[in-house]
Amino acid sequence: MTDTVDDVLPASDAVDRYVTGREFRMLIGGELVTGDRATETVDPSTGAVLTQVPEAGPADVGRAVAAAEAAQPGWHAAGHDGRAAAFGRFAQLLEDHLEELAVLEAIDSGNPVRAMRGDVGISVAYVRGWPGLAQQMGGQVIPASRDGLHYTTSSPYGVVGRITAFNHPLMFAATRPLPALITGNTVVLKPSPQTPLTTLRLAELFAEAFPPGVVNVVTGGAEAGDALVTHPTVKRIAFTGSVPVGLLIQRRAAESGRVKNVSLELGGKNAMVVFPDTDVAAAVEGAVDGMNLTVCQGQSCGSNSRILVHRAVHDEFVAALAERVSRLRVRTAYEETADMGPVVSAAQLARVTGFLDRAVSDGATLVAGGDRPTGVPREGYFVNPAVLSGVQPGMEVAQDEVFGPVVSVLAWDDYDEMVRVANGVEFGLTASVWTSDLDLAHRTAAALDAGYVWVNDSSRHYFGTPFGGTKNSGTGREESVEELWSYVEQKAVHVRLRSSASVLTHRGW
Ligand code: NAD
């Protein structure tokens, strides 16, 4: 059956309601501005142009940095309570606009609307969570000498440049600037040009909740990002995106001639390890959740895209996983029934299908999906979630990040060999271990080279615990007190205390 037609688009009202006729503007110094240049953003469910959005150039970025620099002393002086009050206002605005934001996110990113309500909910929890976490920071008193008092204070960097990826645009825009803000920095935020709409809608909410210049939003691509990275005022840069761009940002930051603190949240090729003693049905559910298929079509840095299954349960696992993913309904993202939407762009779709074709010619077996779903708009970027079995560790699909709905299953027999394969990639972001043996669980969690490990669980982030990667998955940790510390510079103060006798002599006593 071939692809169907426009009469399956009852959700097209959503575009009329939330996009058509609206102006999406950047936020610079408290003003909503259009800038001099514009570009298009596309609905991945239909392939249609949704609207025009501003495309910032270096001059716009310069104005945003200047506004952030001017606002920073006042924002810092507001103190923790003043800043926390703005966070409270922002959380309330997110809650008030939950439905609009979730639908707009589904329209612009292709992520299914039901899950995007969840992303708004998570964002609200993070906005409410950061001020409390920041109160744990304190300072230190260090017994560094017998005759002195040695303590630390900390100060914000000033202006932080925050660059984000396309896959959770709303959640990233709403939450990733927050640890910089609560510690007294001001921010210039640049989202992905592929999915700018919710960030631009949030710009209006930022303008309501925060004083002018504290949060600035510029849209655009590499040119705008580079202008932010190389701007002499921006000493702290936080980046979420791909390894090549992360490496480029480190280089460009150095070439600016200024020493900068760059944190990088990059890609993953994450291993899920299934032991023969596990509940296979639970592991299959964990694999589907861990792939984030029903949240962002598997376009997630943390997805368990490599599943290493012990041979004793391999065939049972593969059959159950193939059956489970083939039940997912791939639809227009803003249809209520969609379990999965389209991938973000035509290029991303070509990337996914290219990986699948090469995997099959490398000798893997496609046991589910990879084809185009029926009943979806003809020009949308849809692909059914794919399961590959018979994948060998050296294959491209076992080494490189697809960033899409492609799960590779690898069979294993020997524990040490399994660990070697699990660690034999350039990435080290997440891992997931499935077993009912507690010793084995802890031993394997320790052996896997990854920054975030789940046991009998997958996908979920636990606010307050440090998230981040080893190897080429990045540097730095987020969502935790560690991240807060990364937005301040410490100062050590040493007070030499005179002996009590000399104090008395000094006083003439
Ligand atoms: P990308 O690297 O193509 O783009 C990310 C951002 O960088 C965008 O805003 C883009 O405009 C900007 N950019 C591009 N060139 C730039 C330059 N020269 N200077 C400054 N900025 C520049 O990534 P993407 O395609 O948006 O996202 C997918 C990647 O992001 C995947 O590799 C994924 O694993 C990763 N990711 C990681 C995390 C994490 O937390 N570790 C989360 C989400 C996504």
Side-chain angles (χ1 to χ4, degrees), residues 70-87:
Q72 196 272 330
W75 176 243
H76 189 209
H80 178 273
D81 288 355
R83 295 192 290 271
F87 275 51

Side-chain angles (χ1 to χ4, degrees), residues 163-168 172 176 190-194 220-227 229 239-246 248-249 252 264-268 299-302 348 401 403 427 429 461 467-469 473 478:
I163 300 174
T164 54
F166 75 76
N167 56 327
H168 285 284
F172 288 159
R176 293 307 189 252
K190 195 204 80 61
S192 165
Q194 303 199 71
E223 185 191 22
D226 187 67
V229 166
F239 174 74
T240 306
S242 62
V243 173
V245 177
L248 179 61
I249 284 176
R252 292 292 292 147
L264 302 172
E265 285 290 340
L266 307 177
Q299 299 166 124
S300 172
C301 55
Q348 194 72 9
E401 183 185 42
F403 213 61
F427 304 99
L429 191 55
H461 287 218
F467 181 85
S473 288
E478 295 190 342

Side-chain angles (χ1 to χ4, degrees), residues 68-157:
E69 189 176 20
Q72 196 272 330
W75 176 243
H76 189 209
H80 178 273
D81 288 355
R83 295 192 290 271
F87 275 51
R89 290 192 292 274
F90 185 55
Q92 189 58 54
L93 287 167
L94 288 176
E95 280 183 331
D96 292 348
H97 296 279
L98 186 149
E99 185 62 17
E100 175 197 353
L101 291 168
V103 178
L104 188 59
E105 184 80 329
I107 292 169
D108 199 29
S109 69
N111 296 343
V113 64
R114 281 182 295 152
M116 292 306 95
R117 293 190 186 103
D119 270 21
V120 182
I122 292 169
S123 302
V124 171
Y126 276 44
V127 180
R128 295 203 193 284
W130 277 116
L133 209 56
Q135 284 183 309
Q136 293 180 20
M137 290 177 75
Q140 292 186 76
V141 176
I142 301 147
S145 76
R146 290 187 61 193
D147 62 349
L149 173 64
H150 308 270
Y151 63 89
T152 61
T153 62
S154 59
S155 317
Y157 277 94

Side-chain angles (χ1 to χ4, degrees), residues 28-289:
I28 298 179
E31 302 290 324
L32 294 164
V33 297
T34 50
D36 297 331
R37 295 185 306 188
T39 185
E40 293 171 339
T41 187
V42 167
D43 176 349
S45 295
T46 63
V49 172
L50 282 166
T51 185
Q52 302 273 315
V53 293
E55 184 176 30
D60 300 303
V61 172
R63 275 192 288 280
V65 172
E69 189 176 20
Q72 196 272 330
W75 176 243
H76 189 209
H80 178 273
D81 288 355
R83 295 192 290 271
F87 275 51
R89 290 192 292 274
F90 185 55
Q92 189 58 54
L93 287 167
L94 288 176
E95 280 183 331
D96 292 348
H97 296 279
L98 186 149
E99 185 62 17
E100 175 197 353
L101 291 168
V103 178
L104 188 59
E105 184 80 329
I107 292 169
D108 199 29
S109 69
N111 296 343
V113 64
R114 281 182 295 152
M116 292 306 95
R117 293 190 186 103
D119 270 21
V120 182
I122 292 169
S123 302
V124 171
Y126 276 44
V127 180
R128 295 203 193 284
W130 277 116
L133 209 56
Q135 284 183 309
Q136 293 180 20
M137 290 177 75
Q140 292 186 76
V141 176
I142 301 147
S145 76
R146 290 187 61 193
D147 62 349
L149 173 64
H150 308 270
Y151 63 89
T152 61
T153 62
S154 59
S155 317
Y157 277 94
V159 179
V160 170
R162 196 51 174 106
I163 300 174
T164 54
F166 75 76
N167 56 327
H168 285 284
L170 177 137
M171 195 167 71
F172 288 159
T175 65
R176 293 307 189 252
L178 301 180
L181 291 170
I182 196 66
T183 45
N185 301 277
T186 51
V187 171
V188 177
L189 168 68
K190 195 204 80 61
S192 165
Q194 303 199 71
T195 50
L197 289 192
T198 43
T199 306
L200 291 171
R201 178 66 182 99
L202 284 183
E204 297 169 18
L205 306 185
F206 281 131
E208 277 190 59
F210 291 88
V214 169
V215 185
N216 303 273
V217 176
V218 290
T219 39
E223 185 191 22
D226 187 67
L228 190 53
V229 166
T230 54
H231 196 291
T233 302
V234 180
K235 185 172 179 181
R236 175 79 175 89
I237 296 147
F239 174 74
T240 306
S242 62
V243 173
V245 177
L247 290 169
L248 179 61
I249 284 176
Q250 281 188 322
R251 178 154 67 78
R252 292 292 292 147
E255 284 171 357
S256 74
R258 301 294 167 112
V259 172
K260 300 189 183 229
N261 177 343
V262 179
S263 59
L264 302 172
E265 285 290 340
L266 307 177
K269 190 74 202 176
N270 309 297
M272 170 171 169
V273 178
V274 178
F275 285 95
D277 65 351
T278 202
D279 173 347
V280 171
V284 166
E285 283 306 314
V288 174
D289 287 347

